[in-house]
Amino acid sequence: MALPINIEDLLNKQKIESNRIEFKRGWNPDKIYQTICAFATDLDNTGGGYILVGVEQDENGIAKRPVKGLPIEDIDDIMQKMVGYDAKITTSNLRSIAYNSRVSKEEVDGKFILVIWVPTGPNRPYCVPESVVAKGKSPLKYYIRSKSSTIEARGTALSFKLKVTTLSPLPCSVRIG
């Protein structure tokens, strides 16, 4: 899959707001899928976001160079597992509509990273099991972006999120009024 933006622009947080980019040092499916859920729901209508796996960030939130990367032998396995994890994402009315994230293997600084592009989903809001790797049932949770962090939506934030996103199911690129 071709990325809609240059990888160097993502690493340097250029042309994309920093709250739409998340760097992950390594592959942690539970945390990554919580962030995918938050970007897909896109409460703020910012256009979703990008997760760069295999990239550490410095104290200013900028990518450390050279990137850490992921072992090349793990990348295909990760991408295959993502198909099953994507199928665990569902909508607020628990219809089994999977959200399909988009993923690209990129070579940066002589190492490989995964870039997960998460556009705003058409059936917002989304929820995902707290643990996508759990063998048994894991409770479904809603996640949102708060500044540059992914947090669980609870209480007022959850009520607001459900109301706003179900009233505006159009993609974020379409604005009314």
Side-chain angles (χ1 to χ4, degrees), residues 5-164:
I5 186 169
N6 178 288
I7 186 67
E8 289 298 326
D9 288 342
L10 284 174
L11 289 166
N12 296 314
K13 293 189 174 180
Q14 296 176 351
K15 300 183 183 176
I16 297 284
E17 299 85 1
S18 63
N19 64 336
R20 295 182 54 209
I21 301 172
E22 181 93 16
F23 297 125
K24 297 289 189 184
R25 183 175 191 263
W27 176 245
N28 179 341
D30 291 334
K31 293 294 184 190
I32 288 170
Y33 269 82
Q34 291 168 6
T35 300
I36 288 173
C37 184
F39 281 144
T41 295
D42 192 16
L43 180 61
D44 295 327
N45 285 330
T46 57
Y50 297 86
I51 304 166
L52 284 73
V53 185
V55 179
E56 295 179 281
Q57 67 181 21
D58 66 17
E59 60 279 351
N60 297 316
I62 303 299
K64 285 186 182 179
R65 302 298 286 273
V67 299
K68 180 180 181 298
L70 294 170
I72 187 67
E73 61 273 7
D74 293 350
I75 290 179
D76 283 339
D77 183 54
I78 289 170
M79 291 172 72
Q80 287 176 0
K81 287 180 179 175
M82 286 182 71
V83 173
Y85 299 150
D86 279 356
K88 293 182 178 189
I89 298 173
T90 188
T91 58
S92 61
N93 59 8
L94 303 181
R95 290 179 288 160
S96 58
I97 298 174
Y99 177 89
N100 293 310
S101 58
R102 293 156 174 91
V103 64
S104 178
K105 175 176 70 173
E106 300 288 326
E107 187 172 355
V108 177
D109 301 334
K111 297 181 181 168
F112 289 97
I113 67 169
L114 285 179
V115 179
I116 305 169
W117 174 33
V118 187
T120 302
N123 299 301
R124 322 183 269 170
Y126 293 94
C127 54
V128 68
E130 186 173 32
S131 174
V132 294
V133 299
K135 299 290 185 216
K137 284 207 172 233
S138 181
L140 291 172
K141 305 274 183 163
Y142 291 91
Y143 296 91
I144 58 172
R145 294 292 287 177
S146 178
K147 299 172 185 58
S148 61
S149 297
T150 297
I151 62 170
E152 181 183 346
R154 298 180 184 183
T156 305
L158 178 58
S159 298
F160 179 74
K161 173 182 174 173
L162 290 172
K163 182 178 179 182
V164 169

